[in-house]
Amino acid sequence: MLRLWSILYCISYITVCTLALKTLRIALHAQLYPSEDKVVGSVITTNGLKTALQNRHDVSDVDIFYPTRYDGFLNRTWDMILIEGWFPSITNFLRLARNNFPHSCIVFICLDPTYPGLEIVKSFAVDGIITNSVSLVEYFAHDFMTEYMMLAADPVIMKPERNISREWGAVYVGAGGHMLQVKPELRELLLQALPYRLRLHGSNWENVPEFKEVSLGTLPQMELASAYSSAHTVLASTIQSQSIYGMVNNRIFEALSCGAVVISWYSTELQELHCDALLFINQTYSLQDHMNKLLDLSLIHISEPTRQAEI
């Protein structure tokens, strides 16, 4: 959030005098409307931003809006408008925002280089860019005030649930179907996890023959922490284009926030997090190596109190 705030103070639309005289009113825009029966990444991100901003003494009003759902948007004056990700009607929304709030600072949050494409993002009528890619900071810096912001998790929501036993070997939450094309390592990762009792949630897995029998359908967003707390490990996979630009998915931080051990294919960006609970698949270690060690450790922790009681 400190990097986010630096863009607030640097962009010319928000002057030092304005900041001194009043607290800020910030509008957030998500890619999709919240769904009760499935996890929506953009909703999680904007909800987390709202919570973080509300905890600041210099922010008086924060609200989230969604495509075609703008009740109350025009009834207030916004100092800053943060748009998380692309959506089909974004050009119309930018026009609406500019026409009604000409002095607002509008910032686009770029967490995906593919949708709608970097050149299209450069054509947006915004004042700044925030991205979770170091390389994209340099790419956008010629045209916009640009800042790097690592994603995070809301620790109030994403936290360990101690009353849930880890009865699953591994859990993966994410869509199947066409996502297997943009996550080429995912299929093999999940196939290797099947012998360890895989808990699999997401849309379109019923159409993938290898996983049809284990697919549990979509997962309600508010049950995500419970799912991560129910397995010995959380499997992570990143869209290939995001990985190329060094982006770290928010699922990594959400799972770690829930006290989970995370297994992922190796990347330099993940390695630089220096987290002992983040295990990598590489030329040295396979998923089987990590799973067998985790399950052995689990048996030790379970049997030790029993052995002491017997003594």
Side-chain angles (χ1 to χ4, degrees), residues 8-140:
L8 263 178
Y9 286 91
C10 290
I11 297 176
S12 61
Y13 279 82
I14 298 182
T15 65
V16 175
C17 292
T18 301
L19 290 171
L21 291 173
K22 65 178 182 180
T23 53
L24 295 170
R25 291 160 294 194
I26 301 175
L28 297 165
H29 195 296
Q31 289 178 293
L32 298 171
Y33 189 75
S35 172
E36 293 184 359
D37 61 351
K38 66 179 180 180
V39 175
V40 180
S42 180
V43 172
I44 292 178
T45 301
T46 49
N47 285 350
L49 281 170
K50 180 179 181 179
T51 299
L53 291 168
Q54 285 177 325
N55 288 333
R56 295 189 61 92
H57 65 86
D58 45 5
V59 175
S60 60
D61 189 13
V62 187
D63 207 347
I64 305 176
F65 301 93
Y66 310 92
T68 74
R69 296 173 182 259
Y70 300 120
D71 290 347
F73 179 70
L74 298 178
N75 297 338
R76 286 170 277 181
T77 299
W78 303 105
D79 298 300
M80 190 175 199
I81 300 172
L82 294 171
I83 304 171
E84 197 286 295
W86 177 85
F87 53 97
S89 58
I90 188 170
T91 302
N92 292 334
F93 175 73
L94 285 171
R95 188 179 301 114
L96 176 74
R98 279 286 182 225
N99 289 341
N100 288 275
F101 311 108
H103 300 296
S104 293
C105 170
I106 303 179
V107 177
F108 181 75
I109 303 176
C110 179
L111 307 180
D112 189 330
T114 304
Y115 298 103
L118 297 179
E119 286 300 316
I120 295 177
V121 171
K122 287 177 69 173
S123 71
F124 290 162
V126 298
D127 301 303
I129 300 284
I130 292 173
T131 180
N132 62 335
S133 166
V134 173
S135 61
L136 286 185
V137 170
E138 182 177 354
Y139 175 82
F140 287 122

Side-chain angles (χ1 to χ4, degrees), residues 62 73 75 102-105 110 119 134 137 144 147-148 153 155 168-169 183 217 235 244 260 266 269 277 279 289 307:
V62 187
F73 179 70
N75 297 338
H103 300 296
S104 293
C105 170
C110 179
E119 286 300 316
V134 173
V137 170
F144 304 99
E147 288 288 339
Y148 171 78
W168 299 87
K183 296 181 176 181
L235 303 179
I244 290 172
Y266 175 86
E269 290 73 25
L279 307 178
D289 294 330
R307 187 183 68 81

